[in-house]
Every structure is written in C-alpha cells, then in structure tokens.
Amino acid sequence: MNRFADKEYYRKPNDYRLINGKESKYDRVDAFDKVTGKGKFAGDFMSPDMLTVKIVHNEKYAHAKIKSIDTGKAEALPGVKCVLTGKDFSEVRIGTHVEGAGGGDIEVLCKHEVRMYYDPVAAVCAVDEETALRGASLVEVEYEELPAVFDPFEALKPDAVDVQGYGRKNKNIGPTCHQAGSNGGKDIEAEFARAAYVSHRDFKTHHIHIAPIEPHATYASYDTEKDEWTVYQSSSMTWSDQFWLARIFQKDELNFHVIRPYVGGAFGGKSNYPYTEFVACECARRTLRPVRCVMTRREEFMTMHGRHPFNIHIDAAFDKDGTLLAKKALQILNGGAYGESQVAPVNLSVIWAAFPYKIDAIDLESKRIFTNEPYSGAMRGYTACQVQFAHDINMQYASEEMGIDPVEFRLKSALESGYKSPAGLVVTSCAFKDTLKDAAAFMKWDQRKDTLKPGEGIGFSGTAFVSGTASPILNSPNQVQTNATIRVNYNGGVSLYSNCHENGQGADTVMVAIVAEELGLEMNEVKLIQPSTFNAGYDSGAYGSRVTFLGGNAVRNAAIDVKSKLLESVAQVWGVEPHLLDLIDHKVVCRDMGKTDLSMPWKQAVFNYMSAHGGDEIVGIGSYYHRTSSAQYRGRPSNYAPSYVFSTGACHLTVDMETGTLDIDEFFFAHDCGQALNPEAVEGQLQGSIYSGLGYAVFEEMKIRDGKTLNPSFRDYRMLTALDMPKITTKYDYPPDPEGPFGAKECGEGTTAPIAPAIANAIHMATGLYITELPLDPEHIWRMLKEQKSDRAQTGLKQLS
C-alpha cells in the first residue's frame, strides 16, 4: 500500500495537493460569471412575451376573516391577463418536509383567514409591472377583524385566541422536543442535590430578519403539450420545491423541471417555499406565457421568515471544582403565525443546549408557540445563536460566582473525542479544548485579565454545531441525502453532475476541486453541468451545514468509482496490483519502488479503457447518507450528525460608560473545521460569521408592534457596513475529521453562534452588568448603566418552570 492511496483508492488528507502543493490552483468556478455580471439569478430571466405578477397583501389586520375578495375591476383592466385568489389552488398546505403534505399550514394565497399582517390574498398577472401593480390596487378585500395574540406566554393561556384554529387542548403549542437522560444511570435530581453550586437564570433573544441581497424570485413557463413546467427558482432546496409544486398542483413530480440558477444569499431564507413559485406556475399555465414574480424588499421583510425569538430558563448544577454535573432547560420559541411542521428548531435547540460541554444528566425541553406575529424559521446557525448565547453566558456567570477562571471553567467540562451524550450524540473529531486555549493565548488572557481598565473587557465563548444532519428532508432510498455522477469521455474530458446547492458559499467550487483532486487533474478540466432536477441526482439541499461534508463525500465517491475502474484497467495491462497505482498530474503512475518507470498519460488511459469496454465512457456514481445515525430522531436518542464542529470566540472591547456605545478593538475566532479545503473560502466564511453575529448581537432588530413590522427596509433595518467591522484574526488549522471529505467539516453556519455571547461576556467584564437579553444596542447598555439593572428581560419562564 502506498502513501497516496489506500486500498479503497481514497487519497489521504495530508496528500491533498490543491492546498498543500506549491503550484496549487483553487479558483472559484463561478467567479467570471459573477464578476462580469454574466451570471443569471432567478429574477434575471426574461423573455419578450413575459408576464409579471404582483401580489395583494393583507395590510389591515394581524388576524382576520376574509369575508370577500372582489377581483372584477382588476380583471377588467387592459393588460391584466389573469387574477388568482386562494380558491384557485388545492387544499394542500405547505410545510417544511415530506410529512408536511399533511402537517403544513401555509396557503399559497389565504382562502378564509389571514393570521399575520401582510399575508398574501390575491395575485395579479399582467403584461408589465406597472399594469400588474395597478391591477393589484383594484382588488377589493373585505375583512372581519379577529382577536390576536403576540406574546408567546399570553398565547399559552387557556383563554388565548387559537391562532391556527386546530382546536387542540394546548391550542397554540406547535412542535415540541423533550430530551431527558443520563450517562451511567445518574439521577438528575441527585446530581442537583449534591452540587456545590446551582444557577437559575432567564434569557431572552429578539427577532431579526435574514435580509438577503437577492429577494425571492421565480421565472416559470408551461408546456401544454407535455403538461410540464420549467421553473427557475431562487432556492436552497430545489428537490423540495419540486415536491411541493407537485403537491399543490396535484401532479407527478416529473411534471416540474426545477432549475437552480445562481442564488444571491440564502442563510436559511431560501429553504422555504414562497408564493412566488406557485403563483408564477399557475399564471404560466393559464396564460401559456412565461411568468416572472419577484418580491419587493418590503415583501421580503414582511412575508418571509426571520430568526426565532427565544425565552430560555436554565438550571445548571456544578461540582465544587466547576465540573458541569447536570442541566435543565425550558426553551420557548415564538414561531409566529405558521410552522406546524417545523420540528427542526425544537430538535436542534435541544441539541445546542447539551453542547459543547460534557453533561451526564439532562432534562431539556423546547416548545414552539404560535402567535400572530411574523413567522420564524431557519436562519444561519439554526437556533444555535439564540440557545448558545444563553447557555454560554450562564457558564460565564457560574464561573465568576464560583471564583474560577472562565477559560479554565470551560476547559473543565469541554467535550472531547469519543464522548457520547445522554441524547445519543457521538463526538468523533473534536478540537474544542485547543480552540479555547488558542483564544486565551491570542488575547494574552493570563497577563491582561487583572490589568484591564474601567470600561475595557475581554469575553470568551464556546459553542458547537453539526456538520451535516440525519434528515434527508424527503423520503429517499436508503435515506440518501445526495447523489453525484461523473462522466469521462474519450478525450479525457470530465463532466460532473452534482446538484449540491450553491448559495454563494462556494459549494460548486469545492465539488469540482474534490473531483480534480482525486483524478489528478486541474480544476478547469472538470466541468460542472448546470444543476436541475432533471439532469443531476437528488440533493436534499443547503441546510444543516451539510453541503461540503455530505455532498463532498458523494462527489468524492463518484470520483473514486471512476478512479478505481481506470486504475484496475491499467493494472491488468501492467500486471501490477491496482492499489499500487494512482492518478497524479494527468498521469497514471505506479508507486512500486521497482516499477517507478511505469507511467501513462490520463487521456491515453481513458482511451484505452473505452477501447477495452466496447467504447463505453467511464461513468462514476456516488451517494452519501449519514452512516453514523441510528435513523432515530424527533425526541429519541440518535447521533444527529456524522460529525460536529467546535468554536471559540474571543472579543476585546471598550464600552463608553456615558453613552453605552461599543468599540470592538479585536475579535479572535478559532474554529475546528477539520482540514480546510479552501483556506481563503474558510477565512471568508469565518469573517462573514463575525459580521453576521455582530449584526445579530448589536445592530439588527425587527421592530414589531401588534404584529406589524415597522422597519421593513434597508433604510430602517440597521445592518453593519464594512466600517463597522473590527480587526479579525482567525485560526482553523486543526486535525482532519476521519469521515469528512479529505478531513473537512463545516465552517459557515455554526460559526455565527459564538459572536453574541463573546461580546456580552466582554461587556459584562467591562461594566459589571449582567447581560441576559439581546440586542446589545447602545440604548440597551446605556439604560442598564444608568439604572444599574441586571437587564430589561422579564421572560415569564420562571412561573412555567
């Protein structure tokens, strides 16, 4: 066996030449298209006979009956081609996964009731945007206002309005998840009883919006002869789009060809199924003309989901040396008006509550509550930003009250490789302790912690996240999450058919790089075919930080299939063992010390293979599913992910004690992402995570009053600019993961979680204020400084716990 390939032909992580080689080339495959503007996003597709759709929204009430919709004036307007209302669609309601066909609660257009402000009620299709807008203004809707509820605790009261009208005893409680258990049969009450210190704290987070640069958009056409739609959709989950289109229109999924163009930012926001795709498809069917529907910025803010607000109560028990013994937590999610099938946020929020520390006895519960506020869903670091904000700060305050250094306190209970949690989560590669130590060393913590000036603080935070998930979203064979195919033609050209979802994070590029690496080629010699549901295999989508780990493994398996076929063919000619051969620098080479003169150019080897196999091209196929999963989830012990990542954030800042404004001097970020397949991309993801986390912690907040968003524009919704960014230093050189492609793990989603708690802990050190609520805007800090309150948060959870 040689050092370049093991018996299954996989190249080892330390021989990954695209980053380790001196002449390595790693170019983004979409760079030219995006820099020159040649690349098309969903809203860029147009044609001379195209029609435009505009939506009529409920702009009056947070909750109301629809008494009547009069479309007569709109239909009579010259240039209007059709007008749709809820009655033009089936009774199927949209959910978030395969079971959502029966458990969804979102209508394309509301039929009888609106449950939140700005719900869509009608759609007008016309020859141009101006006419469509004019037609939309002529649609007359009569409502009857109904009682509404906006606070999740009010929604839990027996006399509260039933938001969804399910008529259940616990009428506004949606999905829940409860994990209780222990390692070694430990009794949680006994652990609390023997603890040297027990903390009891409440925390609260706020509602923010995803605010991607590209709003949701759809371009659809219909072929009446084939009864087939072609749909260009800004989406992170094209196969799920196909699934829901088929359900809504009561057709087979093969009637919908969903094509993924470039996506201008997703961050969880393109994993839903917006009304744009359904109304565009129905208008295209009725008019037999291409139809384009693009959301305005206001529509994006008002109708698409944001990040869940949380109320969290934590009870944690510690031994006298600071070891975390046991934890109880109750986590209440304000889900807004929709999301009956959203099990992910409650399941994930329980996982995050158990990470990134060893806890041998847990009782963790999450509940998603319906209100008449804007609905909440997936956003970068799905629920980890909220949960780990609270749980990390709880660790910080416990360390202080026990008189133990906060870094040493975290190290005492930090997860290590091989640990299995009471929830069934199994940790494989883990460099969490190393990240903590590196952060402390960078900040010169031991030298500086006792010499900080008034208003100056250093804060640390430790978090964890999944690298891939157990769920393939749709019911797929063997629960496979992604497929890939590679074709090699007679002149050595390589075509990659992979549907891994590129949202701007570099997924397409890394898939091409993995193939080029295993086949010994340059990246420009591997051509990625434009992905769609008709010309590439199934991929469950870009969510759960799964793309590089799961998609990369599927693509790599396809490349190994090609590689093994080619090497076995050459080995027969040379009379050597196939595992002694490899593909290096456009050649088949032999690493047997006695036969180093054996070499064959790539193209010749391919030509010879095809000649020996009747002219058949070399085709490699690959797939990947979460092999380490017990396939049990939804409240039962299971290893949710094939691997986990660990991060430590460290923030040095100064607080103006008169105004409450922050000056973040530097931020250090250590992230255990295994082997970085593209260091520049990893660096960009980590810096982007700091940007995103800083926005969440300090700048961004949806201002909602009685269910209505008051700041639905980039003018009023405050986001960071480049001038607001601090000095950033990152480290991500940690051991490779045994199952990740070339040892890689995720680096773009869970990395947002450490930012807010690191900032909050630094503010606490600088001011002595106990932070328990976000956002940390200057007014919040100023009021705390002036009133000397612990925080403004009153969560209402104590009376429930």
Side-chain angles (χ1 to χ4, degrees):
M1 186 180 295
N2 64 80
R3 78 181 190 89
F4 287 88
D6 61 20
K7 63 182 179 181
E8 287 87 19
Y9 305 100
Y10 286 93
R11 186 159 295 155
K12 298 181 184 301
N14 59 341
D15 294 311
Y16 180 57
R17 67 191 169 90
L18 285 173
I19 59 171
N20 293 332
K22 294 181 179 179
E23 298 180 1
S24 63
K25 291 184 179 180
Y26 201 120
D27 302 319
R28 284 193 67 121
V29 299
D30 54 0
F32 181 82
D33 283 356
K34 290 182 175 179
V35 169
T36 61
K38 178 184 176 183
K40 283 191 173 184
F41 298 79
D44 293 329
F45 287 89
M46 300 183 187
S47 60
D49 60 341
M50 181 188 76
L51 301 177
T52 297
V53 176
K54 287 297 175 181
I55 306 298
V56 180
H57 297 276
N58 154 44
E59 300 192 50
K60 292 187 176 181
Y61 305 110
H63 192 197
K65 280 186 179 179
I66 300 173
K67 297 186 69 176
S68 65
I69 302 178
D70 186 350
T71 61
K73 292 179 181 177
E75 291 170 324
L77 183 69
V80 170
K81 298 302 180 182
C82 71
V83 180
L84 305 178
T85 63
K87 63 180 176 58
D88 295 305
F89 294 93
S90 69
E91 293 299 317
V92 174
R93 297 192 178 194
I94 306 160
T96 57
H97 57 320
V98 65
E99 297 172 38
D105 54 14
I106 298 177
E107 299 173 291
V108 176
L109 300 172
C110 296
K111 290 182 172 69
H112 309 293
E113 197 170 313
V114 289
R115 294 175 174 83
M116 74 178 203
Y117 189 84
Y118 227 66
D119 258 340
V121 295
V124 177
C125 180
V127 293
D128 54 37
E129 184 173 355
E130 183 179 2
T131 305
L133 283 169
R134 174 63 178 154
S137 70
L138 296 176
V139 175
E140 298 175 351
V141 186
E142 184 180 358
Y143 299 98
E144 177 185 326
E145 187 176 9
L146 297 173
V149 61
F150 308 111
D151 182 271
F153 299 103
E154 293 296 320
L156 291 173
K157 292 181 177 179
D159 59 346
V161 60
D162 190 341
V163 174
Q164 278 290 336
Y166 292 127
R168 300 179 301 208
K169 181 179 178 181
N170 297 321
K171 51 191 169 187
N172 288 321
I173 298 180
T176 64
C177 182
H178 185 202
Q179 286 276 18
S182 68
N183 283 334
K186 293 180 180 178
D187 181 79
I188 191 167
E189 298 303 332
E191 293 298 288
F192 270 90
R194 78 178 184 92
Y197 172 74
V198 176
S199 66
H200 307 280
R201 289 190 181 84
D202 285 357
F203 298 88
K204 185 177 182 180
T205 68
H206 60 312
H207 197 141
I208 72 167
H209 204 271
I210 296 168
I213 294 298
E214 178 206 27
H216 283 79
T218 304
Y219 178 85
S221 59
Y222 176 72
D223 186 327
T224 186
E225 210 171 295
K226 297 180 181 178
D227 190 22
E228 181 179 295
W229 285 263
T230 300
V231 185
Y232 292 86
Q233 177 65 27
S234 53
S235 173
S236 297
M237 305 171 75
T238 52
W239 286 81
S240 291
D241 285 294
Q242 184 190 53
F243 174 91
W244 283 109
L245 284 164
R247 296 312 181 271
I248 289 294
F249 288 97
Q250 305 289 282
K251 298 281 187 179
D252 190 90
E253 291 170 38
L254 295 178
N255 290 87
F256 298 89
H257 182 197
V258 183
I259 301 173
R260 174 177 62 81
Y262 288 127
V263 175
F267 312 106
K270 302 288 171 64
S271 60
N272 53 14
Y273 315 105
Y275 52 74
T276 58
E277 56 188 305
F278 304 104
V279 297
C281 284
E282 178 59 14
C283 289
R285 185 190 69 82
R286 291 185 176 217
T287 63
L288 301 181
R289 290 170 63 173
V291 174
R292 178 174 173 262
C293 185
V294 181
M295 286 190 185
T296 63
R297 182 57 55 186
R298 179 179 175 83
E299 287 176 315
E300 187 73 30
F301 267 105
M302 301 293 277
T303 65
M304 295 293 99
H305 71 252
R307 179 174 282 160
H308 286 83
F310 265 70
N311 294 91
I312 300 174
H313 178 78
I314 302 172
D315 300 315
F318 301 88
D319 206 348
K320 60 183 179 181
D321 64 354
T323 301
L324 180 55
L325 300 174
K327 183 188 286 187
K328 299 178 183 178
L330 176 60
Q331 303 178 146
I332 299 295
L333 294 68
N334 185 346
Y338 299 102
E340 172 65 2
S341 59
Q342 286 197 16
V343 298
V346 291
N347 289 352
L348 289 171
S349 59
V350 165
I351 291 175
W352 312 141
F355 269 5
Y357 301 102
K358 300 173 187 174
I359 317 172
D360 287 340
I362 59 171
D363 189 347
L364 310 171
E365 185 174 14
S366 291
K367 299 180 180 181
R368 192 177 185 277
I369 310 302
F370 289 112
T371 66
N372 293 110
E373 288 207 327
Y375 83 103
S376 302
M379 185 174 177
R380 189 178 191 177
Y382 203 177
T383 72
C385 293
Q386 305 96 306
V387 171
Q388 296 192 8
F389 163 75
H391 288 265
D392 183 85
I393 291 176
N394 192 63
M395 290 288 286
Q396 178 77 23
Y397 296 162
S399 71
E400 179 181 300
E401 293 180 17
M402 294 187 73
I404 303 174
D405 179 275
V407 175
E408 293 301 321
F409 193 78
R410 289 176 171 87
L411 285 168
K412 189 71 180 176
S413 301
L415 280 174
E416 297 175 294
S417 297
Y419 179 77
K420 182 176 181 179
S421 81
L425 308 177
V426 181
V427 178
T428 52
S429 62
C430 176
F432 182 38
K433 286 188 174 181
D434 293 332
T435 68
L436 283 165
K437 293 173 183 177
D438 288 339
F442 178 86
M443 287 294 177
K444 297 181 174 60
W445 173 243
D446 289 337
Q447 300 96 306
R448 297 168 71 183
K449 61 184 177 182
D450 297 323
T451 61
L452 296 172
K453 302 173 184 177
E456 182 185 13
I458 295 175
F460 299 93
S461 66
T463 62
F465 202 73
V466 294
S467 188
T469 71
S471 173
I473 299 296
L474 299 181
N475 185 24
S476 58
N478 202 40
Q479 295 299 289
V480 69
Q481 294 212 28
T482 187
N483 299 96
T485 303
I486 296 171
R487 292 178 57 186
V488 184
N489 62 31
Y490 81 96
N491 61 13
V494 178
S495 298
L496 169 61
Y497 299 81
S498 167
N499 223 341
C500 287
H501 287 69
E502 168 69 67
N503 296 327
Q505 80 277 38
D508 287 348
T509 300
V510 78
M511 299 307 147
V512 169
I514 288 170
V515 174
E517 176 64 39
E518 284 292 4
L519 299 185
L521 305 174
E522 297 301 330
M523 288 181 61
N524 60 6
E525 295 171 298
V526 178
K527 308 302 180 184
L528 179 69
I529 306 303
Q530 176 67 28
S532 80
T533 54
F534 279 10
N535 68 10
Y538 171 65
D539 180 79
S540 58
Y543 64 92
S545 295
R546 57 168 296 285
V547 175
T548 295
F549 200 103
L550 278 68
N553 271 320
V555 166
R556 193 184 189 197
N557 288 340
I560 293 300
D561 195 19
V562 169
K563 186 177 184 179
S564 63
K565 290 175 180 177
L566 190 64
L567 296 187
E568 288 165 11
S569 176
V570 174
Q572 288 182 352
V573 176
W574 286 350
V576 298
E577 291 294 325
H579 71 264
L580 294 175
L581 306 183
D582 202 359
L583 295 170
I584 303 290
D585 193 21
H586 302 84
K587 295 187 292 290
V588 181
V589 297
C590 183
R591 295 294 177 179
D592 187 326
M593 295 304 293
K595 300 180 180 180
T596 54
D597 59 327
L598 292 177
S599 176
M600 182 183 296
W602 159 261
K603 290 186 177 182
Q604 182 183 340
V606 170
F607 194 96
N608 291 353
Y609 173 93
M610 292 181 63
S611 298
H613 290 80
D616 293 345
E617 290 183 331
I618 308 179
V619 177
I621 57 174
S623 63
Y624 189 84
Y625 65 95
H626 176 11
R627 292 170 176 82
T628 54
S629 173
S630 65
Q632 295 182 44
Y633 58 108
R634 292 175 159 264
R636 296 187 298 276
S638 74
N639 192 22
Y640 187 84
S643 186
Y644 301 91
V645 296
F646 302 89
S647 304
T648 296
C651 176
H652 177 249
L653 56 72
T654 305
V655 180
D656 188 313
M657 303 296 281
E658 291 295 319
T659 65
T661 56
L662 305 178
D663 186 2
I664 299 179
D665 304 301
E666 55 188 344
F667 202 103
F668 176 80
F669 198 114
H671 180 60
D672 170 24
C673 66
Q675 172 152 283
L677 300 187
N678 180 353
E680 289 184 0
V682 171
E683 183 77 29
Q685 287 290 334
L686 298 185
Q687 292 185 11
S689 294
I690 294 170
Y691 169 88
S692 179
L694 184 56
Y696 177 55
V698 180
F699 288 81
E700 299 179 47
E701 182 178 15
M702 287 182 68
K703 301 291 187 180
I704 302 172
R705 182 182 300 163
D706 296 334
K708 182 179 180 179
T709 301
L710 304 180
N711 56 335
S713 70
F714 283 156
R715 180 188 62 192
D716 299 319
Y717 184 80
R718 177 73 194 281
M719 294 196 296
L720 281 78
T721 69
L723 297 177
D724 297 308
M725 289 293 287
K727 179 183 177 182
I728 296 170
T729 303
T730 62
K731 181 176 181 181
Y732 43 85
D733 183 19
Y734 296 103
D737 183 84
E739 194 174 344
F742 296 108
K745 298 193 286 186
E746 83 92 32
C747 69
E749 191 176 0
T751 46
T752 56
I755 315 307
I759 294 170
N761 290 332
I763 294 172
H764 168 67
M765 174 163 281
T767 63
L769 297 170
Y770 284 85
I771 307 292
T772 62
E773 182 181 358
L774 292 175
L776 301 173
D777 55 274
E779 182 180 350
H780 180 184
I781 298 170
W782 177 81
R783 289 187 182 280
M784 291 174 66
L785 287 168
K786 296 304 177 185
E787 300 172 16
Q788 289 299 304
K789 284 187 176 181
S790 292
D791 211 334
R792 60 187 176 186
Q794 296 295 324
T795 69
L797 274 164
K798 285 182 179 177
Q799 53 264 42
L800 291 179
S801 61

